[in-house]
Amino acid sequence: MSAGIRIALAGDTMLGRSVAKSLLTRPPEALFSEEVVATLGEADLRVLNLECCISERGERWPDPYKPFFFRAPPEAVEVLRHLRVDCVTLANNHALDYGPLALLDTLDLLDEAGLAVVGAGRDLDQAHEPAVLTSRGFRLRVVALTDHPREYQAGADRPGVAYADLRRGVPAWVSEAMAGDRLEPADAILVTPHWGPNMTVGPVPHVRTAAAALVQAGATLVAGHSAHVFHGVGRRVLYDLGDFIDDYAVDPELRNDLGLIFLVDLTSAGPIRLEAIPIFLDFCHTRLARGEEAAWIKRRFIAACDELGTEVQTVGNRLMIEWHEDPPAGS
């Protein structure tokens, strides 16, 4: 067994709409700066939330109240390959935007590209199935779930996502997936939930409760997403990774165009060190943040972590957290 690994975590990665259109005239490499790609390359493994389906088929989900539908072309897979992504979660509220056919295409395309997928599947069992990633002898089990929408939930013979009503607690299937009795042993467990509402400055109560329950159940690290803006970090919890690439309108106060890439040094005992690297989400393009962009991100991240009792140090253009002792379970 390896002593530990470094994992890179990125938030909501939306490759549909205008991002998809840009792929018609630009190569996949054009969506991210070389510095962003190099930052991800510092890690042994890379995991992100793919907030779209990848397909040329399907019809929009028949919900008259759903405002946004995200579908990327097959060329989007090359974007993920360029980033050297190892695993994506599809447990979110956009995996079924264009119905079962598009989700099935997504699963096939990602599998053909050699990318592990968690959080969605051809049926309920596959949607709940964790992935085991291996690097330098270290085995990382990845479990994914989403607390919305219930309508996208996979069934016994129906494609869909791994749904969990976290307001009612962590369901048994999540604990079973973390235990991984049917899989090879793992040295650490990453749980990546899509939870809570959009555009919040911090984790809402049911998210904080669920985070504590996941840690209590055995998660080595919890890395959430959904809010479209990054939140603070607790002992074993990154409450929200924010966004990674999109074409969204920018909130002038919450600044969802300013985000972070997270590099976490992880051992079987838990996370020991985190580096957060500021990024700027331009329209359909992501680069490292500069000047006042980076300064704003640093101020917000330090304040958000302080509210959770976590100390942040600044080293150059990076934000650093070091953990020395594990607190008692449930704290």
Side-chain angles (χ1 to χ4, degrees), residues 42-288:
E42 296 179 28
D44 300 300
L45 295 170
R46 288 149 287 275
V47 181
L48 56 75
N49 175 48
L50 181 61
E51 196 161 43
C52 62
C53 58
I54 302 177
S55 177
E56 294 178 312
R57 302 194 296 167
E59 301 292 335
R60 286 189 172 189
W61 186 267
D63 180 353
Y65 300 103
K66 183 175 177 59
F68 305 119
F69 297 83
F70 302 148
R71 178 174 58 182
E75 291 82 359
V77 173
E78 296 307 313
V79 176
L80 301 174
R81 288 168 60 92
H82 177 62
L83 295 172
R84 296 172 56 198
V85 172
D86 296 282
C87 179
V88 304
T89 169
L90 289 172
N92 58 58
N93 56 315
H94 292 287
L96 265 176
D97 277 2
Y98 283 82
L101 282 178
L103 175 56
L104 292 173
D105 285 348
T106 306
L107 296 171
D108 288 340
L109 288 165
L110 293 171
D111 182 63
E112 291 169 6
L115 277 71
V117 176
V118 289
R122 292 168 174 80
D123 54 34
L124 187 62
D125 286 343
Q126 189 179 56
H128 288 176
E129 193 78 12
V132 176
L133 312 177
T134 303
S135 178
R136 296 193 295 112
F138 192 95
R139 296 158 299 187
L140 177 70
R141 182 175 296 123
V142 184
V143 177
L145 57 122
T146 179
D147 69 0
H148 63 285
R150 182 188 297 271
E151 293 75 21
Y152 279 16
Q153 182 176 17
D157 57 358
R158 182 181 69 249
V161 304
Y163 172 78
D165 185 356
L166 294 177
R167 293 181 183 276
R168 298 169 63 91
V170 175
W173 74 259
V174 176
S175 298
E176 292 169 2
M178 291 167 61
D181 293 336
R182 292 177 289 113
L183 296 174
E184 60 183 290
D187 300 304
I189 301 168
L190 168 67
V191 182
T192 176
H194 198 69
W195 55 9
N198 293 346
M199 307 305 286
T200 56
V201 296
V204 296
H206 88 266
V207 165
R208 297 188 67 161
T209 299
L214 289 169
V215 172
Q216 182 71 30
T220 314
L221 182 69
V222 179
H225 31 81
S226 179
H228 298 305
V229 294
F230 61 83
H231 290 168
V233 174
R235 173 61 185 91
R236 290 178 180 257
V237 184
L238 285 64
Y239 280 98
D240 205 290
L241 303 174
D243 286 355
F244 191 38
I245 190 169
D246 57 48
D247 66 352
Y248 303 156
V250 177
D251 185 292
E253 293 186 8
L254 293 178
R255 293 301 304 269
N256 51 300
D257 60 334
L258 298 177
L260 292 162
I261 297 170
F262 296 88
L263 302 177
V264 181
D265 294 329
L266 194 63
T267 71
S268 58
I272 58 174
R273 190 166 184 264
L274 175 147
E275 295 184 23
I277 298 90
I279 56 174
F280 174 70
L281 282 68
D282 202 350
F283 188 76
C284 305
H285 178 77
T286 300
R287 60 167 171 79
L288 296 187

Side-chain angles (χ1 to χ4, degrees), residues 262-323:
F262 296 88
L263 302 177
V264 181
D265 294 329
L266 194 63
T267 71
S268 58
I272 58 174
R273 190 166 184 264
L274 175 147
E275 295 184 23
I277 298 90
I279 56 174
F280 174 70
L281 282 68
D282 202 350
F283 188 76
C284 305
H285 178 77
T286 300
R287 60 167 171 79
L288 296 187
R290 300 189 287 258
E292 180 53 33
E293 301 161 352
W296 189 96
I297 293 167
K298 291 176 182 178
R299 290 193 298 270
R300 177 192 159 97
F301 186 66
I302 290 171
C305 289
D306 184 63
E307 291 182 3
L308 297 169
T310 302
E311 182 180 353
V312 179
Q313 297 181 344
T314 300
V315 180
N317 199 39
R318 298 192 174 196
L319 298 151
M320 317 284 282
I321 295 172
E322 293 191 4
W323 296 286

